[in-house]
Amino acid sequence: MQPPTDTLAPPDLNFDSEVGDSASTVENPTVGIDQSVGDFTYDVKYAFDAGSGLNEGVIRYISDVKKEASWILDFRLKAYQTFLEKPMPTHWATKDLENIDFNKIRYYLSQGQKPKRTWDEVPDDIKRTFERLGIPEQERKFLAGVEAQFDSEAAYSNVKDIVAKQGVIFCNSTEALREHPEIFRKWFGKVIPTGDNKFSALNSAVFSGGSFIYVPKGVKVAMPLQAYFRINAENFGQFERTLIIADEGAEVTYMEGCTAPKFSTSTLHSAVVELVALKGAKIQYITVQNWAPNVFNLVTKRAIAMEDAEVKWIDCNIGSRLTMKYPGVILKGKRARGEVISIALANDGQHQDTGAKMIHAADDTTSVIVAKSISVGQGRSTYRGVVHIPKHLKGCKNNTECDALLINTNSRTDTYPAIVVRGDTHAVQHEASVSKVSEDMIFYMQQRGLTEAQAMSLAVNGFVNDLVRQFPMEYSVELKRLIDLEMEGSVG
Amino acid sequence: MPTLEIRDLFVALAATPDKPIVKGLNLTIRTGEVHAIMGPNGTGKSTLSKAIAGHPDYVITSGDVLLGGKSILEMEADERARAGLFLAFQYPSEIPGVSIANFLRAAVQARLAEGEEIDATAYYKRLYSKMDLLKIDRKFTSRSVNEGFSGGEKKRCEILQMAMLEPTFSLMDETDSGLDIDALRIVAEGVNLMRGEKLGVLLITHYQRLLDYIVPDFVHVMYDGRIVKSGDKTLALELEAKGYDWVKQELALSASAAVATA
Ligand SMILES: Nc1ncnc2c1ncn2[C@@H]1O[C@H](COP(=O)(O)OP(=O)(O)OP(=O)(O)O)[C@@H](O)[C@H]1O
Ligand SMILES: [Mg+2]
């Protein structure tokens, strides 16, 4: 392992220099979406509750409950200062961000449970929650190999025997930093520095939960590791922290699925996910999320890929009031390869502001971005991308494809691709398209007996089909079900 | 025996309801019968078929359409379809990313009772046998519906869908146009196999040639939004020989006769 430099991210990694839509007014009320998935909550007694609002006391409290080493507390306190100093990125992003009231958010909740070893030890109410989430019976058994987060702590964490035997470490952030600092500290907060943006700073101050994974040299994890995240308490911000390190030649796939209960007031979800693919390693990170329509989902995801390493983000965003997420890959080593496959569905009252960042920092590196967005009704999709290839490099390639599908005339879609390529030995390709689901197409399908909602759902599924094929089976089924539910709700 | 009854039907574009395209059309089709409609371009044949199927572009300003004695005008397009009405489109839509197999599967599933699941093996067996019958390459099952299909392939795909969905009444809008000679014969054979006591057909065509293969029980001439002449299969031959001017002249004659007797 080579020691990481302090700041891996070049300064232009943010969209600060771009012209955004700050001038446009915000009309993004959370309206009329009957979202039956995740619309439930159970009475859970919280053993630890930091109250609402944020100050140093809350941070000390969190750190104390977690019995953290002092360097972590220092890290948190510094991050809190950075959070306070950083402005809201409303000069390029939506003004809707101003509607987040940081004083009304609860920053830490936990049932105070130790991660469970076996399924039998998992409390019944949590099992019921999984049931309502529609995790199939089979998969529930398969949960033996699952890290499932319930609120901010892992309610259930059991690395399946095979994985453990391979030397894989798979646990939550608290446990990882306490038990394996020699492995995780080196990279923690290095791919995404605290000050990357206001929300990465917030996460760095109050993070809890999430998954930390280390895959040793040459180990190929055959089954995907997965975690389900959800928000269970009103006004409760979830700030999970994930760090995955694949050592040289290692391979791992991680799957993250989210559903959240529906609440009347805004909920903030702000995760930080860092991936480290060392020489020749392969990491695939898959997200299918379906947030309730009142959730602000402001997530920073970035990977670093060393020589001959490959990182692939498959990111699917459904639901939420506002999602801002631009998974990135810093292509640090020669011949490294980064890929972002992104699907975003913005229904009425929702804004999906998504994209990708590809930072080429070595010769012969390749990046691929395929982003597909669907805007329904008043829903709004924005694509923002950064592709950065500096002058001194040779033989870099980028391929960017953004396709937007509009369902009904009110839908809005914008693209802000920023492709900065200097030097003349690079191959860069950019394609964008906007298409509409026409009335004739819907009628054609209805004439074959499908309801309007089924027809729209099929059209949307068709639009994303080539990307969905890259998902593992159970996720593509889940995604199809989520699209069906969204389309049902959108037909008047 | 079920009937499809079109009673004094007036159809206009939803945008211009005061300008009828179909103007008082009457026609009753029983299962077991094949009716052919011929008529000049722009006379309202496609409008008629789409309005019956419930296309949102069109409004029925007066008259009625009854399926098995019940008006279907209050039904959504998909309800009409599930009630047994099929439209083979003159210009079929493309559905990017949705394979024929998945599309038809969804359509078949939509006809099952709630909670009933399609038997996948039986479904594919049936799909393949129909494809073989229509000489459609099995590779087509994985192609997106109509996307990049040639004109003739689209038409064959319409007939495949009809064969799979087994409607009670099928409105076939110029299914013959775009087909090469062999394809025309194959499609006609396919329709003839489906022909019988359980199916009524309305065949819209410009060419007598199709009617050599699918021999109609009745032939109607549509002109200016109405049926102006009806007869048996010989009417089509007569039309082919004399053209529409002959019909127009007859119309003019009967109109002036009407004025004379008035
Ligand atoms: N959606 C529409 N928008 C505008 N005009 C329409 C529309 N549908 C039908 N029309 C008009 O109505 C008239 C009848 O059209 P229709 O397509 O029904 O004719 P047709 O008899 O099927 O002709 P063809 O033999 O050429 O297929 C034409 O003048 C056509 O331009
Ligand atoms: Mg026509």
Side-chain angles (χ1 to χ4, degrees), chain A residues 224-225 244 246 250-256 275 277 281-287 310-314 339 341 470-472:
Chain A
L225 304 175
I244 300 175
E251 289 178 21
V252 63
T253 294
Y254 185 78
M255 310 207 290
E256 171 202 35
L275 308 183
K282 284 186 190 163
I283 302 178
Q284 182 160 229
Y285 192 104
I286 304 165
T287 307
E310 282 181 39
V311 173
K312 183 170 183 173
W313 296 99
I314 298 183
E339 192 170 346
I341 305 282
Q470 305 194 31
F471 285 50

Coordinates of all heavy atoms in Angstrom, one line a residue, chain A residues 224-225 244 246 250-256 275 277 281-287 310-314 339 341 470-472:
Chain A
P224 N -21.9 -10.7 -3.5 CA -21.9 -9.3 -3.2 C -22.2 -9.1 -1.8 O -23.0 -9.8 -1.2 CB -23.1 -8.8 -4.1 CG -23.6 -9.9 -4.9 CD -23.0 -11.2 -4.3
L225 N -21.5 -8.1 -1.2 CA -21.8 -7.7 0.2 C -22.9 -6.7 0.2 O -22.9 -5.8 -0.7 CB -20.5 -7.2 0.9 CG -19.3 -8.1 0.9 CD1 -18.1 -7.5 1.4 CD2 -19.7 -9.4 1.6
I244 N -14.4 1.5 1.7 CA -14.1 0.1 1.2 C -12.7 0.1 0.6 O -12.4 1.0 -0.3 CB -15.1 -0.3 0.1 CG1 -16.5 -0.4 0.7 CG2 -14.7 -1.7 -0.5 CD1 -17.6 -0.7 -0.3
A246 N -10.0 -2.2 -1.4 CA -9.7 -3.5 -2.0 C -8.2 -3.5 -2.2 O -7.7 -2.6 -3.0 CB -10.4 -3.6 -3.3
A250 N -7.5 -7.5 -5.4 CA -8.7 -7.9 -4.8 C -9.9 -7.5 -5.6 O -9.9 -6.6 -6.4 CB -8.8 -7.4 -3.4
E251 N -11.0 -8.2 -5.4 CA -12.3 -7.9 -6.1 C -13.5 -8.0 -5.1 O -13.6 -8.9 -4.4 CB -12.5 -8.8 -7.3 CG -11.6 -8.6 -8.4 CD -11.8 -9.5 -9.6 OE1 -12.9 -10.1 -9.7 OE2 -10.8 -9.7 -10.4
V252 N -14.3 -6.9 -5.2 CA -15.5 -7.0 -4.3 C -16.6 -6.2 -4.9 O -16.4 -5.2 -5.6 CB -15.1 -6.4 -2.9 CG1 -14.7 -5.0 -3.0 CG2 -16.3 -6.6 -1.9
T253 N -17.8 -6.7 -4.7 CA -19.0 -5.9 -5.1 C -19.8 -5.6 -3.9 O -20.1 -6.5 -3.0 CB -19.9 -6.8 -6.1 OG1 -19.2 -7.0 -7.3 CG2 -21.2 -6.1 -6.4
Y254 N -20.3 -4.4 -3.8 CA -21.0 -3.9 -2.6 C -22.4 -3.4 -3.1 O -22.4 -2.7 -4.1 CB -20.3 -2.8 -1.9 CG -20.9 -2.4 -0.6 CD1 -20.8 -3.2 0.6 CD2 -21.7 -1.2 -0.5 CE1 -21.5 -2.8 1.8 CE2 -22.3 -0.8 0.7 CZ -22.2 -1.6 1.8 OH -22.8 -1.3 3.0
M255 N -23.4 -3.8 -2.4 CA -24.7 -3.3 -2.8 C -25.4 -2.6 -1.6 O -25.4 -3.1 -0.5 CB -25.6 -4.5 -3.2 CG -24.9 -5.4 -4.2 SD -26.1 -6.3 -5.3 CE -26.8 -7.4 -4.1
E256 N -26.0 -1.5 -2.0 CA -26.6 -0.6 -0.9 C -28.0 -0.4 -1.4 O -28.3 0.1 -2.5 CB -25.8 0.6 -0.8 CG -26.4 1.7 0.0 CD -25.8 3.1 -0.4 OE1 -25.6 3.3 -1.5 OE2 -25.7 3.9 0.5
L275 N -14.1 4.8 -1.7 CA -13.6 3.6 -2.2 C -12.1 3.7 -2.6 O -11.7 4.6 -3.2 CB -14.4 3.1 -3.5 CG -15.9 3.1 -3.4 CD1 -16.4 2.6 -4.8 CD2 -16.4 2.3 -2.3
A277 N -9.3 1.4 -4.5 CA -9.0 0.3 -5.3 C -7.5 0.3 -5.6 O -7.0 1.1 -6.4 CB -9.8 0.2 -6.6
A281 N -7.0 -3.9 -8.4 CA -8.2 -4.3 -7.7 C -9.4 -3.8 -8.5 O -9.4 -3.0 -9.4 CB -8.2 -3.6 -6.3
K282 N -10.5 -4.5 -8.2 CA -11.8 -4.1 -8.8 C -12.9 -3.9 -7.7 O -13.1 -4.8 -6.9 CB -12.3 -5.3 -9.7 CG -11.5 -5.3 -11.0 CD -12.2 -6.4 -11.9 CE -11.2 -6.6 -13.1 NZ -11.5 -7.8 -13.8
I283 N -13.5 -2.8 -7.8 CA -14.6 -2.5 -6.9 C -15.9 -2.2 -7.7 O -15.8 -1.3 -8.6 CB -14.3 -1.4 -5.9 CG1 -13.1 -1.7 -5.0 CG2 -15.5 -1.2 -4.9 CD1 -12.7 -0.6 -4.1
Q284 N -17.0 -2.8 -7.3 CA -18.2 -2.4 -7.9 C -19.2 -2.0 -6.8 O -19.3 -2.8 -5.9 CB -18.8 -3.6 -8.7 CG -20.1 -3.3 -9.4 CD -20.4 -4.3 -10.5 OE1 -20.7 -3.9 -11.6 NE2 -20.3 -5.5 -10.3
Y285 N -19.7 -0.8 -6.9 CA -20.6 -0.3 -5.8 C -22.0 0.0 -6.4 O -22.1 0.8 -7.3 CB -20.0 1.0 -5.2 CG -20.6 1.4 -3.9 CD1 -20.0 1.2 -2.7 CD2 -21.9 2.0 -3.9 CE1 -20.6 1.6 -1.5 CE2 -22.5 2.5 -2.7 CZ -21.8 2.2 -1.5 OH -22.4 2.6 -0.4
I286 N -22.9 -0.7 -5.9 CA -24.3 -0.6 -6.5 C -25.3 0.0 -5.5 O -25.4 -0.5 -4.4 CB -24.8 -2.0 -6.9 CG1 -23.8 -2.7 -7.9 CG2 -26.2 -1.9 -7.6 CD1 -24.0 -4.1 -8.1
T287 N -26.0 1.0 -5.9 CA -27.0 1.6 -5.0 C -28.3 1.6 -5.7 O -28.4 2.0 -6.9 CB -26.6 3.1 -4.8 OG1 -25.3 3.1 -4.3 CG2 -27.6 3.7 -3.8
E310 N -9.9 -1.0 -11.3 CA -11.2 -0.7 -11.9 C -12.3 -0.4 -10.9 O -12.5 -1.2 -9.9 CB -11.8 -1.8 -12.7 CG -11.1 -2.0 -14.1 CD -11.7 -3.2 -14.8 OE1 -12.9 -3.4 -14.8 OE2 -10.9 -3.9 -15.5
V311 N -12.9 0.8 -11.0 CA -14.0 1.1 -10.1 C -15.3 1.4 -10.9 O -15.2 2.1 -11.9 CB -13.7 2.3 -9.2 CG1 -14.9 2.7 -8.4 CG2 -12.5 2.0 -8.3
K312 N -16.4 0.7 -10.5 CA -17.6 1.0 -11.2 C -18.7 1.3 -10.2 O -19.0 0.6 -9.3 CB -18.0 -0.3 -12.0 CG -19.2 -0.2 -12.8 CD -19.4 -1.4 -13.6 CE -20.6 -1.4 -14.6 NZ -20.5 -2.5 -15.5
W313 N -19.3 2.5 -10.4 CA -20.4 2.9 -9.6 C -21.7 2.7 -10.4 O -21.8 3.1 -11.5 CB -20.4 4.4 -9.3 CG -19.3 5.0 -8.5 CD1 -18.1 5.6 -8.9 CD2 -19.2 5.0 -7.0 NE1 -17.4 6.0 -7.9 CE2 -18.0 5.6 -6.7 CE3 -20.0 4.5 -6.0 CZ2 -17.5 5.8 -5.4 CZ3 -19.6 4.7 -4.7 CH2 -18.4 5.4 -4.4
I314 N -22.6 1.9 -9.8 CA -23.9 1.8 -10.4 C -24.9 2.5 -9.4 O -25.0 2.0 -8.3 CB -24.3 0.3 -10.7 CG1 -23.3 -0.3 -11.6 CG2 -25.7 0.2 -11.2 CD1 -23.6 -1.7 -12.0
E339 N -16.0 3.9 -14.0 CA -17.2 3.9 -14.7 C -18.3 4.3 -13.8 O -18.4 3.9 -12.6 CB -17.5 2.5 -15.2 CG -18.6 2.4 -16.2 CD -18.7 1.0 -16.9 OE1 -17.7 0.3 -16.9 OE2 -19.7 0.8 -17.5
I341 N -22.5 4.4 -13.9 CA -23.8 4.1 -14.5 C -24.8 4.7 -13.6 O -24.9 4.3 -12.5 CB -24.0 2.6 -14.6 CG1 -22.8 1.9 -15.3 CG2 -25.4 2.3 -15.2 CD1 -22.8 2.0 -16.7
Q470 N -27.1 -4.6 -16.3 CA -25.8 -4.7 -15.6 C -26.0 -4.9 -14.1 O -25.0 -5.2 -13.4 CB -25.0 -3.4 -15.8 CG -24.8 -3.1 -17.3 CD -23.7 -2.1 -17.5 OE1 -22.8 -2.0 -16.8 NE2 -23.9 -1.3 -18.5
F471 N -27.2 -4.8 -13.6 CA -27.5 -5.0 -12.2 C -27.5 -6.4 -11.8 O -27.9 -7.2 -12.7 CB -28.8 -4.4 -11.8 CG -28.8 -2.9 -11.7 CD1 -28.3 -2.1 -12.7 CD2 -29.4 -2.2 -10.6 CE1 -28.4 -0.7 -12.7 CE2 -29.4 -0.9 -10.5 CZ -28.9 -0.1 -11.6
P472 N -27.2 -6.8 -10.6 CA -27.4 -8.2 -10.2 C -28.9 -8.4 -10.2 O -29.7 -7.5 -10.0 CB -26.9 -8.2 -8.7 CG -26.1 -7.0 -8.6 CD -26.5 -6.0 -9.5

